[in-house]
Amino acid sequence: MAGLSSLALGRVVCKVSGVMAIDKWRWLVLGVSMIVILTASWVPDSRMAILWRIPEPIGLWADENSTLRTGVAFFGGTLLAVCLFGGDARLPRGAMLIQGAAFACLLSAEVGQHWIPNRTFSLFDLFWGCLGIGLGYPLGLGMVWLSDSCWSLVKGQGRCHGGHPFLRCQD
């Protein structure tokens, strides 16, 4: 059973020179999420409905709410990052890493638009992106705490010291 959970959702958190090292697939998911956000931000045409692989209803909504969509993207990205980091997101280093990476991605997306034809840098996008990060982080922490608490009740055990209930923790 332990092999199945570590294979399917495996989580090995270790300290390497004081820095968190997390399974490679977690970094891959976060990296791909950032690449998707940057790609959508750096295409010359800002209409999302014409981008490939974006469902038409989502693209149409994004086009109607052009500045708000930045906040929604970073809300979702931050929420995903917190859930992937689990209990480590509660630590000051985890909080700084998640929010710092999200803000760096947001700033890169906006500053990069300066050199893209038909795109412009927008303070409103920065505002909505920061708001998305600011709302996604505490909501993600709440979700991690709730799932951790529910898992503890179901298993009848104490909390998993790594913080995430669906992933086996290891020292």
Side-chain angles (χ1 to χ4, degrees), residues 54-159:
I54 292 183
E56 188 177 351
I58 293 173
L60 292 173
W61 178 88
D63 289 341
E64 292 172 6
N65 302 284
S66 61
T67 54
L68 181 62
R69 70 183 177 197
T70 303
V72 171
F74 282 95
F75 172 81
T78 304
L79 191 66
L80 174 67
V82 171
C83 290
L84 285 174
F85 274 76
D88 294 321
R90 295 180 215 154
L91 302 174
R93 184 178 295 133
M96 288 173 46
L97 181 65
I98 291 169
Q99 293 179 16
F103 184 73
C105 183
L106 171 64
L107 199 56
S108 298
E110 284 305 310
V111 170
Q113 288 181 5
H114 175 72
W115 292 280
I116 308 291
N118 303 322
R119 299 301 295 264
T120 58
F121 176 86
S122 170
L123 288 176
F124 288 116
D125 282 347
L126 279 178
F127 168 76
W128 284 111
C130 287
L131 187 63
I133 294 167
L135 293 175
Y137 187 80
L139 183 62
L141 286 179
M143 290 172 61
V144 168
W145 175 82
L146 183 63
S147 64
D148 191 21
S149 299
C150 292
W151 183 254
S152 295
L153 290 174
V154 168
K155 292 299 272 182
Q157 301 172 351
R159 288 181 178 234

